[in-house]
Amino acid sequence: MLSRIDHVGIAVRDLDRAIQTYERLLGLRVSGRERLEREGIEVALITIGESRIELITPLNPESKVEKFLQDRGEAVHHVAYATDDVAASLERAAAGGAQLLDAVARPGTHGTRIGFVHPKSLCGVLTEFVEPDGKPGT
Ligand code: CO
């Protein structure tokens, strides 16, 4: 049901500096930036093979990513798995005893559907399921 790592989210304090660091030290290229006002974050996307790194920075003090940075500092924030059915993946995790942060799938960026599982259910890692919209290049 889960087919690959869709992306790994990394919480960063300074998005411009993080982009420079990942480009300079790893030779990677940022392919796009996006402000998600509703989530209170800005993300920079680095495509690598079939996966992506998402550098994430908070836009305001109320952002959950701001709280994460205060608690844990810059670190891996979440791991996202590609799935053909977010609802089924959430149901499977819940049936196994996981605490869901999203009881049902909700819209993500670029026409995707997403759902999150609480980190305490998966060895301390906030876990996301992503169902692509089926269009190429998103
Ligand atoms: Co994500």
Side-chain angles (χ1 to χ4, degrees), residues 85-110:
D85 189 337
V86 170
S89 295
L90 288 170
E91 278 166 27
R92 182 200 176 99
Q99 181 182 329
L100 303 183
L101 294 172
D102 295 298
V104 294
R106 61 184 167 94
T109 56
H110 304 300

mmCIF file of all heavy atoms in Angstrom, residues 85-110:
data_model
loop_
_atom_site.group_PDB
_atom_site.id
_atom_site.type_symbol
_atom_site.label_atom_id
_atom_site.label_comp_id
_atom_site.label_asym_id
_atom_site.label_seq_id
_atom_site.Cartn_x
_atom_site.Cartn_y
_atom_site.Cartn_z
ATOM 1 N N ASP A 85 -3.912 5.187 -1.289
ATOM 2 C CA ASP A 85 -5.186 5.406 -0.601
ATOM 3 C C ASP A 85 -4.925 5.911 0.823
ATOM 4 O O ASP A 85 -4.653 5.112 1.725
ATOM 5 C CB ASP A 85 -5.977 4.090 -0.582
ATOM 6 C CG ASP A 85 -7.407 4.274 -0.083
ATOM 7 O OD1 ASP A 85 -7.673 5.262 0.636
ATOM 8 O OD2 ASP A 85 -8.247 3.423 -0.416
ATOM 9 N N VAL A 86 -4.970 7.216 1.001
ATOM 10 C CA VAL A 86 -4.681 7.798 2.320
ATOM 11 C C VAL A 86 -5.661 7.280 3.366
ATOM 12 O O VAL A 86 -5.260 6.935 4.482
ATOM 13 C CB VAL A 86 -4.729 9.346 2.267
ATOM 14 C CG1 VAL A 86 -4.674 9.937 3.674
ATOM 15 C CG2 VAL A 86 -3.577 9.897 1.454
ATOM 16 N N ALA A 87 -6.937 7.233 3.008
ATOM 17 C CA ALA A 87 -7.947 6.789 3.977
ATOM 18 C C ALA A 87 -7.646 5.376 4.460
ATOM 19 O O ALA A 87 -7.711 5.092 5.663
ATOM 20 C CB ALA A 87 -9.336 6.862 3.342
ATOM 21 N N ALA A 88 -7.303 4.486 3.536
ATOM 22 C CA ALA A 88 -7.001 3.099 3.904
ATOM 23 C C ALA A 88 -5.742 3.033 4.781
ATOM 24 O O ALA A 88 -5.683 2.245 5.728
ATOM 25 C CB ALA A 88 -6.835 2.248 2.651
ATOM 26 N N SER A 89 -4.754 3.848 4.469
ATOM 27 C CA SER A 89 -3.519 3.848 5.265
ATOM 28 C C SER A 89 -3.791 4.362 6.680
ATOM 29 O O SER A 89 -3.250 3.836 7.656
ATOM 30 C CB SER A 89 -2.445 4.701 4.575
ATOM 31 O OG SER A 89 -2.067 4.118 3.348
ATOM 32 N N LEU A 90 -4.644 5.396 6.795
ATOM 33 C CA LEU A 90 -5.016 5.904 8.119
ATOM 34 C C LEU A 90 -5.787 4.838 8.896
ATOM 35 O O LEU A 90 -5.543 4.621 10.083
ATOM 36 C CB LEU A 90 -5.859 7.176 7.983
ATOM 37 C CG LEU A 90 -5.127 8.447 7.537
ATOM 38 C CD1 LEU A 90 -6.134 9.551 7.201
ATOM 39 C CD2 LEU A 90 -4.144 8.935 8.595
ATOM 40 N N GLU A 91 -6.710 4.178 8.219
ATOM 41 C CA GLU A 91 -7.525 3.147 8.877
ATOM 42 C C GLU A 91 -6.653 2.003 9.373
ATOM 43 O O GLU A 91 -6.839 1.487 10.472
ATOM 44 C CB GLU A 91 -8.580 2.599 7.906
ATOM 45 C CG GLU A 91 -9.822 3.470 7.808
ATOM 46 C CD GLU A 91 -10.692 3.108 6.615
ATOM 47 O OE1 GLU A 91 -10.650 1.929 6.182
ATOM 48 O OE2 GLU A 91 -11.393 3.998 6.101
ATOM 49 N N ARG A 92 -5.694 1.600 8.547
ATOM 50 C CA ARG A 92 -4.808 0.504 8.925
ATOM 51 C C ARG A 92 -4.007 0.873 10.180
ATOM 52 O O ARG A 92 -3.901 0.086 11.115
ATOM 53 C CB ARG A 92 -3.869 0.182 7.763
ATOM 54 C CG ARG A 92 -2.940 -0.972 8.055
ATOM 55 C CD ARG A 92 -1.728 -0.965 7.135
ATOM 56 N NE ARG A 92 -0.819 -2.027 7.522
ATOM 57 C CZ ARG A 92 -0.758 -3.210 6.917
ATOM 58 N NH1 ARG A 92 -1.528 -3.469 5.896
ATOM 59 N NH2 ARG A 92 0.085 -4.131 7.332
ATOM 60 N N ALA A 93 -3.462 2.097 10.181
ATOM 61 C CA ALA A 93 -2.666 2.534 11.332
ATOM 62 C C ALA A 93 -3.540 2.597 12.592
ATOM 63 O O ALA A 93 -3.127 2.149 13.671
ATOM 64 C CB ALA A 93 -2.032 3.903 11.040
ATOM 65 N N ALA A 94 -4.748 3.144 12.434
ATOM 66 C CA ALA A 94 -5.651 3.259 13.586
ATOM 67 C C ALA A 94 -6.041 1.882 14.104
ATOM 68 O O ALA A 94 -6.098 1.650 15.314
ATOM 69 C CB ALA A 94 -6.897 4.061 13.195
ATOM 70 N N ALA A 95 -6.304 0.958 13.184
ATOM 71 C CA ALA A 95 -6.680 -0.401 13.582
ATOM 72 C C ALA A 95 -5.565 -1.072 14.365
ATOM 73 O O ALA A 95 -5.806 -1.905 15.244
ATOM 74 C CB ALA A 95 -7.039 -1.225 12.343
ATOM 75 N N GLY A 96 -4.313 -0.678 14.055
ATOM 76 C CA GLY A 96 -3.167 -1.236 14.761
ATOM 77 C C GLY A 96 -2.867 -0.517 16.066
ATOM 78 O O GLY A 96 -1.905 -0.855 16.750
ATOM 79 N N GLY A 97 -3.667 0.513 16.374
ATOM 80 C CA GLY A 97 -3.502 1.197 17.653
ATOM 81 C C GLY A 97 -2.870 2.570 17.570
ATOM 82 O O GLY A 97 -2.622 3.197 18.596
ATOM 83 N N ALA A 98 -2.597 3.050 16.367
ATOM 84 C CA ALA A 98 -1.955 4.359 16.231
ATOM 85 C C ALA A 98 -2.933 5.486 16.566
ATOM 86 O O ALA A 98 -4.140 5.365 16.350
ATOM 87 C CB ALA A 98 -1.430 4.553 14.803
ATOM 88 N N GLN A 99 -2.384 6.571 17.094
ATOM 89 C CA GLN A 99 -3.167 7.787 17.313
ATOM 90 C C GLN A 99 -3.065 8.649 16.061
ATOM 91 O O GLN A 99 -1.966 9.049 15.651
ATOM 92 C CB GLN A 99 -2.631 8.552 18.517
ATOM 93 C CG GLN A 99 -3.428 9.821 18.798
ATOM 94 C CD GLN A 99 -2.862 10.614 19.960
ATOM 95 O OE1 GLN A 99 -2.289 10.043 20.897
ATOM 96 N NE2 GLN A 99 -2.984 11.928 19.899
ATOM 97 N N LEU A 100 -4.205 8.923 15.440
ATOM 98 C CA LEU A 100 -4.224 9.721 14.215
ATOM 99 C C LEU A 100 -4.338 11.205 14.546
ATOM 100 O O LEU A 100 -5.046 11.590 15.473
ATOM 101 C CB LEU A 100 -5.403 9.319 13.328
ATOM 102 C CG LEU A 100 -5.498 7.856 12.912
ATOM 103 C CD1 LEU A 100 -6.686 7.661 11.970
ATOM 104 C CD2 LEU A 100 -4.210 7.377 12.257
ATOM 105 N N LEU A 101 -3.657 12.025 13.775
ATOM 106 C CA LEU A 101 -3.855 13.473 13.862
ATOM 107 C C LEU A 101 -4.932 13.921 12.882
ATOM 108 O O LEU A 101 -5.525 14.984 13.042
ATOM 109 C CB LEU A 101 -2.543 14.205 13.588
ATOM 110 C CG LEU A 101 -1.475 13.972 14.654
ATOM 111 C CD1 LEU A 101 -0.140 14.568 14.229
ATOM 112 C CD2 LEU A 101 -1.911 14.554 15.986
ATOM 113 N N ASP A 102 -5.151 13.123 11.843
ATOM 114 C CA ASP A 102 -6.246 13.352 10.895
ATOM 115 C C ASP A 102 -7.095 12.086 10.843
ATOM 116 O O ASP A 102 -6.616 11.036 10.421
ATOM 117 C CB ASP A 102 -5.698 13.645 9.491
ATOM 118 C CG ASP A 102 -4.912 14.942 9.455
ATOM 119 O OD1 ASP A 102 -5.511 15.991 9.719
ATOM 120 O OD2 ASP A 102 -3.706 14.897 9.170
ATOM 121 N N ALA A 103 -8.333 12.214 11.292
ATOM 122 C CA ALA A 103 -9.223 11.048 11.275
ATOM 123 C C ALA A 103 -9.583 10.668 9.842
ATOM 124 O O ALA A 103 -9.818 9.505 9.538
ATOM 125 C CB ALA A 103 -10.486 11.347 12.076
ATOM 126 N N VAL A 104 -9.623 11.682 8.979
ATOM 127 C CA VAL A 104 -9.923 11.426 7.565
ATOM 128 C C VAL A 104 -8.897 12.168 6.714
ATOM 129 O O VAL A 104 -8.264 13.125 7.170
ATOM 130 C CB VAL A 104 -11.347 11.908 7.175
ATOM 131 C CG1 VAL A 104 -12.408 11.089 7.887
ATOM 132 C CG2 VAL A 104 -11.523 13.378 7.494
ATOM 133 N N ALA A 105 -8.749 11.715 5.463
ATOM 134 C CA ALA A 105 -7.816 12.365 4.537
ATOM 135 C C ALA A 105 -8.270 13.800 4.280
ATOM 136 O O ALA A 105 -9.465 14.090 4.253
ATOM 137 C CB ALA A 105 -7.761 11.577 3.232
ATOM 138 N N ARG A 106 -7.296 14.690 4.127
ATOM 139 C CA ARG A 106 -7.627 16.089 3.821
ATOM 140 C C ARG A 106 -6.755 16.565 2.659
ATOM 141 O O ARG A 106 -5.739 15.945 2.342
ATOM 142 C CB ARG A 106 -7.440 16.965 5.057
ATOM 143 C CG ARG A 106 -6.025 16.992 5.591
ATOM 144 C CD ARG A 106 -5.975 17.821 6.873
ATOM 145 N NE ARG A 106 -4.733 17.654 7.604
ATOM 146 C CZ ARG A 106 -3.680 18.469 7.449
ATOM 147 N NH1 ARG A 106 -3.720 19.447 6.573
ATOM 148 N NH2 ARG A 106 -2.586 18.271 8.161
ATOM 149 N N PRO A 107 -7.136 17.689 2.033
ATOM 150 C CA PRO A 107 -6.369 18.165 0.879
ATOM 151 C C PRO A 107 -4.984 18.650 1.278
ATOM 152 O O PRO A 107 -4.834 19.338 2.296
ATOM 153 C CB PRO A 107 -7.205 19.332 0.337
ATOM 154 C CG PRO A 107 -8.527 19.242 1.012
ATOM 155 C CD PRO A 107 -8.334 18.498 2.291
ATOM 156 N N GLY A 108 -3.969 18.270 0.502
ATOM 157 C CA GLY A 108 -2.623 18.809 0.668
ATOM 158 C C GLY A 108 -2.330 19.777 -0.468
ATOM 159 O O GLY A 108 -3.256 20.305 -1.084
ATOM 160 N N THR A 109 -1.053 20.003 -0.745
ATOM 161 C CA THR A 109 -0.702 20.910 -1.847
ATOM 162 C C THR A 109 -0.800 20.175 -3.173
ATOM 163 O O THR A 109 -0.737 18.939 -3.229
ATOM 164 C CB THR A 109 0.740 21.434 -1.680
ATOM 165 O OG1 THR A 109 1.620 20.321 -1.596
ATOM 166 C CG2 THR A 109 0.869 22.276 -0.425
ATOM 167 N N HIS A 110 -0.943 20.916 -4.237
ATOM 168 C CA HIS A 110 -0.913 20.385 -5.604
ATOM 169 C C HIS A 110 -1.920 19.259 -5.826
ATOM 170 O O HIS A 110 -1.620 18.289 -6.503
ATOM 171 C CB HIS A 110 0.486 19.877 -5.963
ATOM 172 C CG HIS A 110 1.559 20.903 -5.791
ATOM 173 N ND1 HIS A 110 1.563 22.098 -6.475
ATOM 174 C CD2 HIS A 110 2.652 20.935 -4.999
ATOM 175 C CE1 HIS A 110 2.622 22.812 -6.117
ATOM 176 N NE2 HIS A 110 3.299 22.131 -5.216
#
